[in-house]
Amino acid sequence: MINRKSREEIKLMRHAGHIVALVHKKMKEVVEPGISTKELDDIAYHVIKENRAIPTFLGYSGFPATICTSINEQVVHGIPSEDVKVKEGDIISIDVGATYHGLVGDSAWSYAVGELDDDKKRLMKATEEALYAGVAKMCPGNVLDDISGAVEDVANSYHFGIVRQYGGHGVGHVMHEEPFLFNYRVGDQTLIKQGYAIAIEPMLNLGGDEVEVADDEWTVSTVDKKPSAHFEHTVIATEDGPLITTKLME
């Protein structure tokens, strides 16, 4: 069952999303060659707590950190570590959730560490473009496959791989609610209704589609070890169009 969000729930989700956006604002400032992923995690934890929210990821199904930090061929769910430091030319995806008064904001962004090569620049550009193409379809009266197809069309136009095993999801009182949202067409004709909230999150690869899970049972990487990028916003379908909750409120 897909839960429609009330006006009050949307208000709280916007506040949660604002806190997530504050984390990303800080990440953009501090991501530089030499910083460890554990340092990034500590900073994110501090931002969430000082804004009277709860780190959604910490302890979720046993996950041991506040954020997921996935570098280059790592797609999603990378675990922060003192021993892992980003270096010039890396892409790092930072995924973060915050729970405020029982409602969740969830957003991921890929950051360039220093100067990227042209392939990585194109990959990041395409994945962000795919995100906003999907967001534009998050309107009452459309169907889920409209979002999936918009993401797929951007990926195909750049000839990039699409991660098939992972995708977007409903979000609200918990991080993962129904429905699951594929990043490619599957024929899902589920009607989008006003008040639906979905985390739209394209994951595109410079190489093939295939991914695998590491021995830590969390980190997902491309099988061919080519780079991946990941962008995500929490979006609510409203009568005025898509409402992105995971951005800074004015």
Side-chain angles (χ1 to χ4, degrees):
M1 177 181 174
I2 304 174
N3 297 316
R4 299 173 72 172
K5 304 305 185 289
S6 68
R7 184 174 299 178
E8 180 61 24
E9 287 171 322
I10 291 172
K11 180 180 178 181
L12 292 172
M13 287 188 72
R14 291 189 72 182
H15 197 101
H18 174 73
I19 296 167
V20 167
L22 288 174
V23 173
H24 281 297
K25 181 175 183 288
K26 191 66 176 178
M27 294 294 101
K28 185 177 181 181
E29 295 171 1
V30 300
V31 168
E32 61 181 11
I35 194 167
S36 75
T37 53
K38 179 62 167 63
E39 287 176 274
L40 295 173
D41 189 72
D42 290 342
I43 292 167
Y45 179 86
H46 178 73
V47 172
I48 292 170
K49 296 299 286 187
E50 73 178 2
N51 283 279
R52 306 190 312 278
I54 298 168
T56 310
F57 293 6
L58 186 59
Y60 185 86
S61 297
F63 190 75
T66 294
I67 60 176
C68 299
T69 52
S70 308
I71 301 171
N72 294 331
E73 73 275 7
Q74 296 173 348
V75 182
V76 286
H77 305 161
I79 301 172
S81 169
E82 293 179 356
D83 298 327
V84 177
K85 297 181 180 181
V86 295
K87 63 183 185 300
E88 181 82 17
D90 283 345
I91 294 175
I92 179 170
S93 162
I94 297 175
D95 196 352
V96 58
T99 303
Y100 181 79
H101 287 221
L103 275 298
V104 174
D106 181 13
S107 173
W109 218 252
S110 290
Y111 296 90
V113 184
E115 186 65 25
L116 300 183
D117 63 35
D118 289 344
D119 282 342
K120 286 182 177 178
K121 287 179 181 176
R122 286 184 68 249
L123 178 62
M124 286 184 59
K125 179 179 183 293
T127 312
E128 185 175 357
E129 186 179 317
L131 168 63
Y132 285 110
V135 168
K137 298 296 184 180
M138 184 63 181
C139 300
N142 283 345
V143 297
L144 291 184
D145 225 42
D146 291 328
I147 302 173
S148 303
V151 171
E152 181 181 22
D153 287 345
V154 172
N156 288 343
S157 73
Y158 283 88
H159 306 289
F160 288 145
I162 302 171
V163 175
R164 307 268 164 176
Q165 294 95 319
Y166 301 87
H169 52 88
V171 60
H173 288 277
V174 294
M175 184 164 57
H176 291 108
E177 296 184 352
E178 292 185 17
F180 181 82
L181 178 69
F182 292 88
N183 284 319
Y184 56 97
R185 289 178 180 86
V186 293
D188 191 336
Q189 297 301 300
T190 300
L191 190 67
I192 299 169
K193 298 180 180 179
Q194 185 175 330
Y196 280 10
I198 296 178
I200 300 172
E201 51 178 321
M203 290 157 266
L204 304 186
N205 302 333
L206 193 60
D209 300 344
E210 294 79 14
V211 297
E212 59 189 0
V213 181
D215 291 342
D216 64 17
E217 299 183 348
W218 283 105
T219 308
V220 178
S221 298
T222 57
V223 170
D224 59 16
K225 304 306 178 187
K226 292 186 177 180
S228 184
H230 176 210
F231 287 84
E232 174 189 24
H233 269 312
T234 297
V235 189
I236 298 177
T238 77
E239 59 184 3
D240 298 319
L243 172 65
I244 297 174
T245 65
T246 42
K247 65 180 183 179
L248 294 173
M249 291 191 294
E250 297 177 357

